[in-house]
Amino acid sequence: VLTISDESGEYPIGTHLSYLEDSLRKFTIYDIASGRYDHLFKRVESANANLGFSSSAYWLRLDVDNQSTRQENFFLEINYSLLDSIEIYFDDLDEWLVKKSGDYYPFSKREVKNRNFVFPLTIPTWDTKTFYIKLSADGSPLRLPMTLW
């Protein structure tokens, strides 16, 4: 669990992630969030993890506990431009919503126009939210340099 406080404004999240390899690319957010596959998630061991070359999709899980007085948007930045597809899932009133980006999506469709992939996320004060991030990078190594700010 990544705990946000008023003492810091930037949080490298690599070691707060866990991941699951979806080699057949068959899982949906409902499969992943059901808890049936929790035992298959592995802990990311380094801040700039590299999962190597793979045609698999990877599901990342990030739990964020907002213990700060800040309830405005936070931003998740992925500083790796070779990701083909990024889908960030979050629960909003018992419904899974998704934000999408990556090389397969036009720059003009990005919510935040930045050379890196940046997603605004709302994390209510004194609440813990779980985000699921589905990534793929066909033909490139899958690296995970991510920051929440």
Side-chain angles (χ1 to χ4, degrees):
V1 176
L2 171 63
T3 301
I4 297 171
S5 68
D6 287 326
E7 297 169 14
S8 179
E10 190 172 297
Y11 301 87
I13 64 171
T15 57
H16 298 279
L17 295 167
S18 54
Y19 71 94
L20 178 146
E21 183 176 5
D22 182 3
S23 60
L24 299 177
R25 296 183 180 212
K26 67 174 186 163
F27 293 130
T28 67
I29 183 58
Y30 301 101
D31 296 324
I32 295 297
S34 72
R36 284 180 291 181
Y37 302 99
D38 284 357
H39 66 284
L40 298 176
F41 274 85
K42 300 175 185 171
R43 191 100 186 120
V44 172
E45 299 296 330
S46 69
N48 274 330
N50 184 340
L51 301 178
F53 289 90
S54 177
S55 60
S56 299
Y58 283 85
W59 287 89
L60 308 176
R61 182 176 51 215
L62 174 64
D63 297 311
V64 181
D65 180 16
N66 184 4
Q67 293 296 309
S68 75
T69 56
R70 175 180 165 194
Q71 187 166 330
E72 61 209 50
N73 278 340
F74 290 86
F75 294 92
L76 174 64
E77 180 177 9
I78 303 173
N79 186 10
Y80 186 60
S81 62
L82 299 179
L83 294 172
D84 295 328
S85 177
I86 304 164
E87 298 174 5
I88 299 182
Y89 293 88
F90 54 98
D91 185 10
D92 185 37
L93 301 174
D94 295 326
E95 179 182 358
W96 286 104
L97 303 179
V98 64
K99 296 180 181 220
K100 297 181 179 184
S101 193
D103 284 347
Y104 289 166
Y105 299 92
F107 186 85
S108 62
K109 300 285 185 191
R110 291 188 187 181
E111 216 172 332
V112 176
K113 309 295 188 260
N114 189 290
R115 65 183 176 87
N116 295 325
F117 300 112
V118 178
F119 301 87
L121 303 175
T122 300
I123 307 165
T125 302
W126 311 115
D127 195 10
T128 300
K129 284 194 78 92
T130 298
F131 297 92
Y132 291 98
I133 306 164
K134 183 180 180 184
L135 302 174
S136 64
D138 296 335
S140 299
L142 190 71
R143 294 182 48 229
L144 306 175
M146 298 182 184
T147 306
L148 187 74
W149 46 273

